[in-house]
Structure formats: structure tokens, C-alpha cells
Amino acid sequence: MRKINSGVMKRFNRMQVVRTVQRRGPISRTALAEQLGLTVATVTNLSNGLVEAGILCQAGHDSTGALGRRAVMVDVNPCAFYSLGVEMNNCSLVVGLADFRGNIQAVRVMDFDAQRGVEETLQELETVIRALLADQRVPLERVLGMGMALPGPLDSKAGVLRSPPNMPLWKNVPICEILSRRLNMPVCCDRETNAAALAESLYGVSAGRETSYMLGLFTRGIGGGCVYGGRVLRGFCDGAGEIGHTTVVTGGAPCACGGYGCLETVVSGDVLVEQVRKRWRMTLDPRAASQGPDLTLEQVFDLAQQGEPICRRTVEEAAAYVAMALRNIINTISPEIIVLSGPMAFQAGFADAIREQLKAQGIELTDL
């Protein structure tokens, strides 16, 4: 029988203690031992060492016990370490700094132009990150690493952006390696919708569900991610859940991905606005001249709610297309809950319209 190295086991148990305290703390050592299936003595020794190292801290006494000596609680020291997060989307780069407890300490947003050079953009991103750390007085060596939520397709293991449809200059860019070298820290990445789906399953509305699917409805694109058993379902080349590039219109308009009739070509925010403008022009509606040039997505949905026929028809068609794609997801992976996210998900009446279209297609939902 292969022996387990005691040093390896100790490091593993120490890591489990920290992770559990991060999620459950403040927590007593006795409760921590029960959670981990370890002896109280083992947990006490490990936690005492972590307190001495400044990673954990004493957090008062357990107030639930009525009699006897109250247990000392332990919690993570939020200032022990920090982590960075970056989200890249079609129009911005968002940088966030979180403490060791996971609380967001600061956020910076910079404009992102996909037509701009890779080197120039990453240089500016590095500058923003260093400035953020300086503003928060966080030394670089206290940052454990950085996670990036990126548009697909990508190779999350290699940290390489493959060929994002709306980012022609970013083909086969080893973005994690570049930034890791520049910042001297570990950098990992995942598709933005996978990262959002995982965050929802850990901290959001799908927490505690075995299977969940998150649909991201953005102004310039649509994405999706599935979580099963606490892990992201990736598929080959991290492509699982890419609902935005499923076909909903046979022989439809060309998509940036190279296909035709993808969901993105008929539903994303920019498409809906342009569809309304086009229909107003075709029907000689005076709004085409008065409102068309400055029409916003919010106005489209507001007008639809007010009963304006073209806006209402456009929104209902979009909801029908989303429902069609979701019906395929439901019948393929059968998620317990579907989470809608992104700017379009919060537009007036859109979630209800999608639910009604799903019902019309024979799908009865309890969670959406």
C-alpha cells in the first residue's frame, strides 16, 4: 500500500482548515473539526499555527452555549492576503481587489477597445492594477494571484485567448502567461460566463443546487455557463454552454463566430435597438426620425411595456428566441435552476416574457 507523506497531508489539512473558515467563519475549533472529519486536537494544532502566522485570528467566544466554558471562535484575517480579479468584456476591463475574506476592497474600470493593440491594452491594464494596489497600500507580495473572466473561446488550462468573435486582434494570445510575468504572480482565467455561473453557485441564487445554468444577456453578445456538482461543466475547448452561438434561425444572418442564425444575431441588445429602428423606417413611423438616432435599449423595453406595437413585437420575438435556446438547454442538461444575468436580463418585463414563451413551448418553470 502506498504511504501518504505526512507533510503533504498536513499541508492539505491546513488548506482545508483555511477554506472552511473562509466559508463558515467565525467558527469554533470543535465545529471546524466536525466539518472536516478531523480530531479536535489536530484542528487545534493547525489553527494555532495559522493564527501565529497571521492567516487566522481569534474572533471572540461562542455565544450559543448556555453553560460551561465558551469556545473560542476563529476567523480568517482579512488583511493576511489579497487577490485580484479582472473581467474583460466588449467595452470595458474591470479590475477588482478582494481581501482574504473575499470582500471587495476596490474596483477600477477602464475602457476597452477590441480594435486596439494587445500590447498597448495589457500595458494599460498593468498600470491600472499597480495603481490600484498602491492606492490601497497593498504590497504586491501580499497578493496571492489574479483570476480573469474572459470572452471565449479560450483554453483555460493554458491561459490562452483563442479567437473571440468580436476581438479579431486577440487571436491565440497567452494572456495569463504575459500578465503573470509582468506582475510576478499566478494568473488564471475562465470564460466570463463560466466564472459568473460558478460565483452564483457559490454565493448567489443557485447556491446549494446540484445543477444550474446561467444565461448572460449582454448588449453585444450572449453567453452561458453550467455548473454541475460544484464544478463548471467545460466540455471540449471550454465550449460547453455557449448558448449565444446555437442556431435559432435556419439560414439567418451571419454571426461573428462564422455561423448563421445564431442567437446573438437576433437577441443581443444592439440587435434589438437596430431592429426597432429598421421597423420604424419601414412603416414610415415618425419615431424613426425623432427617436431612432438616439434610441436606447432601455427605451425599447419601456416602450414595449407601454404597448408601442413595434417595440412590443421586437421584445416578444427576442423572448421567443431566448426561450427556444433555453428549451434545448433544459432538455439537454436539465438544470435545477436557470439564472438570468447581464444588462438585458434586468430590462422591464423581459424575464417574464421569456418565462411566458417557455410555457408556450411546453416548459413549466419553478425557478428562472
Side-chain angles (χ1 to χ4, degrees):
M1 181 181 293
R2 186 177 179 182
K3 293 184 178 180
I4 299 176
N5 184 288
S6 60
V8 172
M9 180 58 71
K10 185 175 182 179
R11 286 195 296 273
F12 175 79
N13 287 338
R14 188 186 295 124
M15 180 178 65
Q16 292 298 96
V17 166
V18 173
R19 285 182 173 177
T20 303
V21 174
Q22 280 181 314
R23 293 212 293 257
R24 308 285 184 182
I27 187 171
S28 69
R29 290 174 172 83
T30 302
L32 188 55
E34 292 175 357
Q35 288 276 334
L36 296 173
L38 300 173
T39 65
V40 174
T42 297
V43 168
T44 299
N45 288 333
L46 291 171
S47 61
N48 286 347
L50 290 165
V51 169
E52 290 175 10
I55 295 171
L56 299 184
C57 60
Q58 308 281 13
H61 293 81
D62 186 1
S63 60
T64 59
L67 299 173
R69 186 177 177 182
R70 294 186 298 168
V72 176
M73 310 291 279
V74 290
D75 203 352
V76 294
N77 174 10
C79 300
F81 298 104
Y82 295 82
S83 60
L84 287 161
V86 173
E87 180 194 0
M88 174 186 283
N89 55 49
N90 287 322
C91 55
S92 64
L93 277 164
V94 183
V95 182
L97 176 70
D99 65 21
F100 200 47
R101 191 177 280 133
N103 297 319
I104 302 297
Q105 299 299 301
V107 175
R108 299 287 186 274
V109 181
M110 55 181 275
D111 292 336
F112 173 61
D113 181 358
Q115 307 304 317
R116 197 175 174 200
V118 173
E119 174 61 28
E120 186 180 359
T121 300
L122 294 184
Q123 178 61 57
E124 184 179 354
L125 176 60
E126 180 189 355
T127 301
V128 169
I129 289 170
R130 291 186 181 278
L132 183 151
L133 294 176
D135 289 346
Q136 297 299 309
R137 298 181 180 178
V138 174
L140 196 61
E141 58 269 19
R142 297 271 293 281
V143 180
L144 292 174
M146 182 168 75
M148 303 189 74
L150 305 173
L154 57 83
D155 184 335
S156 61
K157 289 184 179 179
V160 176
L161 270 170
R162 287 304 182 199
S163 53
N166 300 308
M167 298 165 57
L169 300 180
W170 291 74
K171 186 175 182 179
N172 295 325
V173 176
I175 189 169
C176 289
E177 178 188 338
I178 294 171
L179 289 172
S180 179
R181 186 173 62 250
R182 286 174 175 267
L183 296 168
N184 193 31
M185 69 173 66
V187 179
C188 62
C189 70
D190 206 340
R191 274 198 299 120
E192 55 185 336
T193 45
N194 281 346
L198 183 61
E200 285 290 345
S201 73
L202 291 172
Y203 309 109
V205 296
S206 57
R209 307 298 183 105
E210 181 73 8
T211 309
S212 61
Y213 183 81
M214 197 213 69
L215 172 64
L217 297 164
F218 305 108
T219 304
R220 296 179 185 172
I222 294 175
C226 178
V227 174
Y228 178 77
R231 299 175 68 89
V232 172
L233 183 63
R234 299 185 182 281
F236 180 68
C237 291
D238 294 297
E242 276 284 31
I243 196 173
H245 297 292
T246 55
T247 303
V248 294
V249 181
T250 303
C255 181
C257 73
Y260 292 84
C262 296
L263 185 63
E264 278 193 8
T265 67
V266 290
V267 171
S268 59
D270 288 350
V271 171
L272 265 63
V273 171
E274 186 53 40
Q275 184 72 272
V276 170
R277 289 172 178 158
K278 180 180 177 181
R279 287 172 172 172
W280 277 348
R281 290 193 299 268
M282 290 176 63
T283 58
L284 302 180
D285 193 305
R287 296 176 195 262
S290 62
Q291 287 184 256
D294 301 316
L295 186 66
T296 65
L297 184 64
E298 290 77 13
Q299 290 172 332
V300 169
F301 280 92
D302 287 341
L303 288 168
Q305 289 288 95
Q306 296 167 23
E308 199 283 320
I310 286 179
C311 289
R312 185 171 181 177
R313 173 187 164 194
T314 301
V315 169
E316 288 176 350
E317 287 177 355
Y321 284 128
V322 172
M324 184 188 304
L326 282 179
R327 187 175 188 273
N328 291 330
I329 291 291
I330 292 166
N331 288 324
T332 302
I333 62 176
S334 190
E336 291 179 66
I337 183 172
I338 293 174
V339 182
L340 300 184
S341 68
M344 284 184 63
F346 299 97
Q347 297 297 330
F350 198 39
D352 290 336
I354 295 171
R355 185 189 293 274
E356 290 304 312
Q357 289 293 335
L358 280 166
K359 287 181 180 178
Q361 295 179 28
I363 300 291
E364 190 68 33
L365 292 179
T366 55
D367 285 302
L368 174 61

